[in-house]
Amino acid sequence: MSATPEDRPHPSPETSPRVVVVGAGIVGCSLADELTARGWTDVTVLEQGPLPAPGGSTSHAPGLVFRTSPSKTLTGFARYTVEKFGSLSHDGVPCFEPVGGLELATTPERLADLHRRAGLAAARGVRGEVVSTARCKELWPLLDESVVLGGFHTPEDGLARAVLACRAQLDRATARGARFLDRHTVTGIERADGRVSGVVTDRGVFPADHVVSAAGFWGPVIGRMAGVDVPLQPLAHQYARTRPLRELSGARAEATLPVLRFQDADLYFREHHDRIGIGSYAHRPLPVDPFGVPGYDAARGRGMEMPSSYPFTEEDWAPSWADARRLVPALRGAEVESGFNGVFSFTPDGMPVLGETRELRGFWLAEAVWVTHSAGVARAVAEWMVDGRPSMDVHDCDVTRFEEAQRSPAYVRERGSQQFAEVYDVTHPLQPMERPRPLRVSPFHARQEQLGAFFLEGGGWERPHWYEANAPLVASLGAELPERDPWSARYWSPIAAAEAHATRERVALYDMTPLRRLEVTGSGALDFLDRMTTNKLRKRPGAVTYTLLLDDNGGIRSDLTVARLAEDHFQIGANSPADLDHLIRHAPRGVQVRDITSGTCCIGVWGPLARALVQPLTEDDFSHEGFGYFRARRAHIGHVPVTAMRLSYVGELGWELYTTADLGLRLWDTLWEAGRKLGVVAAGRSAFNSLRLEKGYRAWGIDMTAEHTPAEAGVGFAVRMDKGDFVGRDALRDRPEPTRRLTPLLLDDPAAVVLGSEPVSVDGTTAGYVTSAGHGYTLGRCVAYAWLPAGLTPGTGVHIEYFGEKVPATVAEEPLFDPEMTRIRR
């Protein structure tokens, strides 16, 4: 991986688009460097404060870089940041100091989590190991080892000198033609014909073809000028430096000890020559109004060192100071020399906000980015702008990812503050937010509560994962379910097994309302969708097609089900708001694309008795001959008009039944009352996930993303190269044979379970990672899908690392369940 693409052919200055970047912090400087390295040299970076330290978050950043993260995307960003900054220096001083990182455990729960983090690191190419208490003491001699149980050491992590990295990249970008203008306060964004056309400042107007807001916690201010909501909440974070410590006297280097995290107390430590800097997330959230942050000169006039440096609140610091002294005895006689409350940005989900906005074309966001991820984010945004796509998947950072219900100022403030509080928490992958809930509920919510639904949350929706009403069914399972470890037992119940068995043996109702539904209409709808997707859509009305949205490079943007309800009327089952955004951006005149999710609802009726449940409720023919698989029709279920689609994501006979939200409760009650004599149950997402894994059905965003091609992901059947031109076709045609594949694994031990993101080793070497996993209750084994080298044959043994243990598994042949599809097509 090269740090900058200097060998890329560059456009001439005359053809280079005019780019204005708002903000000369670490993101703005990194982006200017990445853009100019790719030949976009007409770049102007505007900054309201003085360079090189204009007073934003970069100017006070302590510079910690830990690459390991639950997010694969953030780990990728951080890896590039370390690589790039490690190659930069300014005036002979390196921009990155690889002193290493050390995360401590003082509780058994944290030590177990460090083993999990070591697995995440291995899966993502970060070198690290869980080390003993004695080794922690060797690495950080100032520790009181009596309170330490162990640690996670990552030797290539370290400290980024953020302001120095800004200066180094500023110099490189300037040499290629960019200009950096400080003391320019942005006051407006100009537009013409729906596109950005310029940036207005207090010192003139700068014409632009593209504008990038890299303004940090001022992002919402710049966004409002462009008519764009920027969902981030600035918060203040305490940082203090001690007076010189005797134990560090004579220190010549800025830092030699690893950067230290004491996450059980929400603290981190780093050296400043003979002093120690301490940062705390332990205090109450301190939200800051971005519209009230003073400019550089105004801040100095209020006695602040810079706009991002708010006065230190001693009362918030006292508990953290006590915890710091408990861990580091050298601090027990020390004093704090200085401190401040530094402002930086949080989003509702803790991820950056990146990409071009739909509200104003050519207006880009590169916001809520920490120094750790800055160079990686800049590279991704530069690739996006120049090449049309980033080289790594960034869907979990896409500006379009938030639902409308997640964009209110109250939601952003509350969730951003909670993200601050949870920075160092041990967070389970299924752990839902606690507030604000409930936010979005289906029309069946009252009935689900009556059945004792255990709800988790996704996209603001309350989603039942199992129902306590089904607890008596657990005793009838026959075989005993294996005991689960405490981690995998969280947000799980054996009731899920009972619901899965009920689906396989009888019939179950699933709330599929959170499934995104789009409507595409207009005289050119068929031509448009056929061009945008990979499968053949030129079928008569009533057909349903599984297909893919690709990018120009052949990567999987999304997977869709497209139902042709009439000649010019299509209903699409999609994944994220990005799908809606993508289709709207490309829809030709005369084609309308709209999201109908909130006004509709859906019940999945699945199981061998599904027809016995549905057919008596309708005068329409729901027989196999009269209503074939992957077909759709309008019908009535009792008094309720529905759009029925014969689809099954669980591998059983059944239908997805859609109706309007006002009739949803009536539909549920009609099906429930009729199904009682058949033993119908309500089933949740936990059983659903188990059943879909047994069938090998992929989950976009987890099992496959834009980083993967259809052949690699095992969905090549949804691509029809002979149907004519479609987006991504040329790239697929020129692709070599895959060197990796999404591979099904069965864990050898019936009692073993993994949850996803674990590293997988082949012949003792880490070769890939698990995407999604869950116990297959029909198979009696945990099923895991993993990205592994192509060519592994069924029967090949592998190992999955789970909390430091090597769990044996075997490559399986898919589909694992009902390979002849007899249960669905009957």
Side-chain angles (χ1 to χ4, degrees), residues 553-601:
N553 204 44
I556 304 171
R557 287 187 58 98
S558 188
D559 63 342
L560 312 174
T561 55
V562 179
R564 191 177 189 186
L565 303 181
E567 288 293 327
D568 301 320
H569 184 184
F570 296 82
Q571 181 172 310
I572 297 176
N575 287 295
S576 75
D579 296 340
L580 173 66
D581 180 79
H582 182 64
L583 292 175
I584 287 177
R585 285 177 186 267
H586 290 86
R589 189 179 302 275
V591 173
Q592 295 79 44
V593 182
R594 68 187 187 101
D595 191 327
I596 60 171
T597 309
S598 297
T600 56
C601 58

Side-chain angles (χ1 to χ4, degrees), residues 315-563:
E315 66 276 14
D316 293 308
W317 176 249
S320 293
W321 185 229
D323 285 331
R325 288 173 157 182
R326 176 167 62 92
L327 181 71
V328 182
L331 298 177
R332 292 169 189 170
E335 296 180 353
V336 171
E337 182 177 66
S338 63
F340 64 95
N341 290 2
V343 182
F344 63 140
S345 303
F346 285 82
T347 59
D349 59 4
M351 298 293 286
V353 180
L354 311 178
E356 185 185 22
T357 65
R358 189 171 77 236
E359 298 94 330
L360 182 59
R361 300 298 299 274
F363 185 76
W364 296 74
L365 299 180
E367 297 290 9
V369 182
W370 295 6
V371 171
T372 300
H373 312 115
S374 56
V377 163
R379 180 181 64 167
V381 173
E383 291 171 337
W384 212 338
M385 296 173 71
V386 176
D387 303 327
R389 67 185 293 273
S391 58
M392 62 180 287
D393 175 66
V394 296
H395 79 274
D396 49 1
C397 303
D398 196 304
V399 62
T400 63
R401 71 186 182 273
F402 295 110
E403 307 283 349
E404 283 300 315
Q406 298 173 308
R407 288 181 169 272
S408 71
Y411 185 94
V412 172
R413 182 170 54 253
E414 186 168 359
R415 291 302 307 150
S417 297
Q418 189 61 27
Q419 287 295 330
F420 175 92
E422 295 175 357
V423 162
Y424 282 167
D425 285 3
V426 177
T427 304
H428 193 278
L430 292 177
Q431 184 172 322
M433 67 179 189
E434 297 179 1
R435 301 184 310 274
R437 290 180 64 190
L439 185 62
R440 307 175 79 186
V441 298
S442 77
F444 329 125
H445 188 255
R447 297 293 184 264
Q448 293 165 344
E449 288 188 310
Q450 292 167 4
L451 293 170
F454 180 85
F455 293 100
L456 296 181
E457 180 272 343
W461 288 102
E462 294 296 316
R463 301 185 180 199
H465 271 243
W466 64 82
Y467 294 85
E468 289 296 330
N470 295 325
L473 301 178
V474 176
S476 65
L477 290 177
E480 287 190 11
L481 289 173
E483 290 288 327
R484 286 204 171 200
D485 64 275
W487 185 253
S488 65
R490 291 182 67 184
Y491 308 109
W492 175 83
S493 168
I495 296 172
E499 293 174 0
H501 279 281
T503 307
R504 293 276 189 241
E505 295 169 1
R506 300 188 303 279
V507 62
L509 305 185
Y510 288 82
D511 181 0
M512 303 302 292
T513 300
L515 174 71
R516 183 168 306 280
R517 292 172 291 285
L518 310 180
E519 182 182 72
V520 181
T521 57
S523 59
L526 175 59
D527 290 340
F528 165 60
L529 290 174
D530 200 49
R531 168 84 176 93
M532 295 296 293
T533 65
T534 60
N535 213 336
K536 292 183 177 179
L537 299 186
R538 297 187 182 279
K539 305 171 184 177
R540 68 184 187 275
V544 182
T545 306
Y546 176 79
T547 188
L548 308 173
L549 280 178
L550 303 183
D551 61 27
D552 289 333
N553 204 44
I556 304 171
R557 287 187 58 98
S558 188
D559 63 342
L560 312 174
T561 55
V562 179

Side-chain angles (χ1 to χ4, degrees), residues 18 182 251 277 710 714 733:
R18 298 168 299 177
D182 62 2
R733 184 188 57 208

